[in-house]
Amino acid sequence: MLYLEDFVRGLPCGWLNLATTCRKDNVHELIAISEELTERYPLYEGIIRNYRVELEATDFDEHRELLVHYYEKAPASLNRELLFRRNEHGLYSCPFCGNPKKPDTLDHFIPKDQWPEYSIFPNNLVPQCRSCAPIKGENYYCVDAGTAKFIHPIYSDLLQKFRFKITVAFSCETNRPSFSVVLRKLQVTGDGEDQRVIFHIKNLKVKQRIIKFCQDDYRRWQTRLSKRRFDLRGALLQRLNEIPQNDRGRDWKSAFIEGLLNNEDAVDYLHSLRPNAMDQPLVPIVEELELE
């Protein structure tokens, strides 16, 4: 989980200017409301920081289709900005949940269908993994809890203060592992902030997703070791040593590797699956062809 403070774009909003200077047939409709949109953008940070205050209904309901259209079918110059934010962010795990995959979609933190005025506001668009996307969806505020459901990784460093710890238990009778997940807090937090993080994690169903990830990754190691003889501990340590000590546990994979290395029974069992050296298949000769 990451703090993306460098993703904040200053005002005035350059993306709106790209949209209003395009040649779309309906651009005059966007120009007509551009001043109203410009007045809303400076309010955005306050809305995010006042996460206990429920948002009022949008004043742009009659322009919903138009505003969402400029995100979904953005003019070329704006589309380049959207693609850059979606794909060229330099992230290798999801800032919302720690999924160890490059985020390849954009989340409208304040949902665009309910508040279309923020459809093309860059600070409302956060890189996100495709597993988080359908879960978060159009969700924003929980009336019962009296708070926003999620933490905005561009405006808050709270998620970055925590790491995942995965514990691997192994049954020598069944030769099966089980996995449990807790959060480790690395820095002091304010009143209620721990519960905010837990609420965020719960609403994104992160615990269930991490356990499923561990089960799948464990099976992948089983398959590799049943086909090829290698040192599992060495392979795991090599991957772990590529990650700075303070970053371990920020994503699921590094937390899983640490958990697996801490269980000797699980590692010994996986090692026992390795084929004998004499049983190793011959590596086929591969002919290399020049590309013309």
Side-chain angles (χ1 to χ4, degrees), residues 161-179:
K161 295 180 179 180
F162 292 79
R163 299 290 184 271
F164 294 111
K165 179 182 178 182
I166 296 173
T167 300
V168 180
F170 187 79
S171 169
C172 294
E173 295 180 359
T174 63
N175 290 329
R176 291 182 179 178
S178 60
F179 308 96

Side-chain angles (χ1 to χ4, degrees), residues 169-224:
F170 187 79
S171 169
C172 294
E173 295 180 359
T174 63
N175 290 329
R176 291 182 179 178
S178 60
F179 308 96
S180 59
V181 185
V182 297
L183 283 174
R184 292 188 297 123
K185 184 167 66 174
L186 302 188
Q187 299 178 41
V188 175
T189 55
D191 291 343
E193 288 188 329
D194 292 0
Q195 291 306 311
R196 273 197 78 196
V197 173
I198 292 170
F199 196 55
H200 172 98
I201 294 293
K202 179 180 178 181
N203 280 303
L204 285 175
K205 303 179 181 178
V206 174
K207 181 178 178 180
Q208 303 94 305
R209 292 162 55 201
I210 289 178
I211 290 174
K212 178 65 165 57
F213 169 83
C214 292
Q215 292 167 341
D216 291 344
D217 217 34
Y218 185 86
R219 282 193 289 267
R220 280 192 285 270
W221 284 112
Q222 278 184 306
T223 300
R224 292 170 191 152

Side-chain angles (χ1 to χ4, degrees), residues 82-105:
L82 289 167
L83 289 174
F84 188 87
R85 197 168 182 88
R86 180 183 297 135
N87 301 321
E88 306 302 326
H89 41 62
L91 304 175
Y92 295 96
S93 62
C94 178
F96 282 92
C97 73
N99 188 349
K101 293 182 179 179
K102 178 181 176 180
D104 60 353
T105 188

